[in-house]
Amino acid sequence: MIFTRVCTLVFAVLLAQSAIAAPNTPTDDSKALKEKLADTLSVKVHSLEESPISGLYEALTDRGVLYISKDGSKLFHGNLYDLDKGMKNLTEAAMAGPRIEMMKPLEDNMLVYKAKNEKHVVTVFTDTTCGYCRKLHNEMQEYNDLGITIRYLAFPRRGIPSANADEMESIWCAADPLQAMTDAKGGKSVKQEKCDAKIAEQYNLGQSFGVNGTPAIVLEDGSMIPGYQPPAALLKVLEATN
């Protein structure tokens, strides 16, 4: 893992040097850079700002963070780390704030397992078929007892469209979605239902956050933990970030 991170950093530095050597495009050409990214990669660019590396812009897109040279000729996709700050993931830090705002339009579509004495709220991109998603769900009472409210967003791992996505739509459209989720994660069949559950929108949001597996847990500050966290361990992380 460290080797991979170091390789990412080395590549980023080499790319930055290449970008610095090229003629810099004036900052008012950001519109042209956004259009080039959209046309070349078929991505939607939410914002384009100076990156932590001189000579590169940081583009927040619907497929995560991309780095592009100011002349628009070089592109880097990967995580940047700060060696002087304990290998802080700068790419993840750049996504934290925007994630909070980007989730708001879908809050009414979340399946919420609310803690009685709520202290923390996390949002989990989940799938009915993944083993660790089922493990997390089976421990829902433990999370709630610790004051952690769990909000679910759908991330069907087989994509859109798929039978997986159809099942998740049926859960979201059920008369009792919370029970339907419990049934599905317990291996029971769920009655097929259809409604405007916005499963595709939830899935696309996950992709824009950089989700590539489930469960993916978004904390209250917008940072994201890939993978399952036991209840007590998640509580420690939440207490440390507040």
Side-chain angles (χ1 to χ4, degrees):
M1 181 64 71
I2 294 297
F3 175 75
T4 301
R5 291 177 176 176
V6 170
C7 287
T8 300
L9 281 165
V10 170
F11 182 71
V13 171
L14 292 174
L15 176 59
Q17 291 173 343
S18 173
I20 293 169
N24 283 342
T25 300
T27 55
D28 59 5
D29 273 1
S30 61
K31 181 180 179 181
L33 290 176
K34 288 181 180 179
E35 290 176 351
K36 184 170 185 177
L37 283 172
D39 293 342
T40 305
L41 303 176
S42 298
V43 297
K44 180 179 179 181
V45 182
H46 300 298
S47 65
L48 189 71
E49 300 177 356
E50 295 280 350
S51 82
I53 293 182
S54 177
L56 289 180
Y57 279 128
E58 181 179 83
L60 176 60
T61 79
D62 61 353
R63 292 295 182 269
V65 175
L66 301 174
Y67 298 95
I68 185 170
S69 60
K70 291 187 176 182
D71 68 349
S73 67
K74 304 294 188 302
L75 181 75
F76 169 58
H77 180 212
N79 290 327
L80 297 180
Y81 297 87
D82 193 327
L83 286 171
D84 295 329
K85 294 184 179 179
M87 292 293 287
K88 179 182 178 181
N89 189 328
L90 301 179
T91 304
E92 172 62 25
M95 283 292 298
R99 283 192 186 114
I100 296 172
E101 293 302 314
M102 291 165 71
M103 285 192 298
K104 286 182 179 179
L106 287 172
E107 285 182 349
D108 290 342
N109 299 98
M110 296 177 179
L111 302 191
V112 182
Y113 294 81
K114 187 173 177 60
K116 184 177 181 180
N117 298 309
E118 184 179 278
K119 299 175 183 177
H120 304 283
V121 178
V122 300
T123 306
V124 180
F125 285 90
T126 193
D127 178 275
T128 55
T129 63
C130 92
Y132 277 106
C133 294
R134 292 183 172 187
K135 181 173 176 60
L136 186 154
H137 193 81
N138 288 339
E139 297 170 350
M140 186 64 70
Q141 191 60 55
E142 295 178 52
Y143 292 103
N144 289 168
D145 288 346
L146 291 173
I148 303 172
T149 289
I150 302 288
R151 308 188 305 182
Y152 278 150
L153 284 171
F155 193 83
R157 295 183 298 164
R158 294 183 178 88
I160 305 284
S162 67
N164 190 201
D166 291 343
E167 180 186 39
M168 300 196 82
E169 181 181 18
S170 294
I171 292 169
W172 257 255
C173 298
D176 185 347
L178 302 188
Q179 184 59 50
M181 178 65 80
T182 296
D183 290 343
K185 287 187 175 177
K188 298 179 181 179
S189 61
V190 177
K191 181 182 177 182
Q192 186 173 0
E193 301 281 0
K194 285 192 173 295
C195 68
D196 185 19
K198 292 184 168 55
I199 299 300
E201 288 86 344
Q202 296 178 52
Y203 176 75
N204 291 335
L205 182 67
Q207 286 196 313
S208 72
F209 284 8
V211 175
N212 52 31
T214 53
I217 305 172
V218 182
L219 306 183
E220 293 160 308
D221 65 351
S223 58
M224 188 169 72
I225 301 175
Y228 163 81
Q229 291 285 309
L234 181 58
L235 180 62
K236 287 183 179 179
V237 172
L238 289 165
E239 290 176 340
T241 56
N242 287 342

